[in-house]
Amino acid sequence: GDIAAIAELVADLGRACPVSLLPFHATGAAKARRLGRPSSLESLTPPSPDRLEALAAPFRERGLAGSIGGQP
């Protein structure tokens, strides 16, 4: 899929390139509400820890430092 293709592209760069997956959070939606603005973020849900691990796997399989939420 797209994540595997991105991981391959980063691996093909030929240099150490740290990858950090940052999970979605609803802070932006709350801020939009406070400002009286519409937000398309309301319908989104954060990915589960298992889903984040699955997304990090293609990077780790290619020897790239894949972290989640900035944590190694």
Side-chain angles (χ1 to χ4, degrees):
D2 293 338
I3 294 294
I6 293 169
E8 193 64 34
L9 174 70
V10 173
D12 287 347
L13 292 175
R15 57 186 165 88
C17 185
V19 175
S20 182
L21 299 176
L22 302 176
F24 165 80
H25 56 81
T27 304
K31 182 176 180 180
R33 275 194 312 272
R34 283 195 313 273
L35 295 173
R37 297 183 179 169
S39 173
S40 60
L41 301 176
E42 296 286 338
S43 62
L44 298 177
T45 57
S48 69
D50 288 341
R51 177 68 178 138
L52 288 169
E53 285 295 333
L55 292 169
F59 296 97
R60 292 176 179 155
E61 289 166 3
R62 288 163 177 81
L64 301 168
S67 66
I68 297 173
Q71 302 300 315

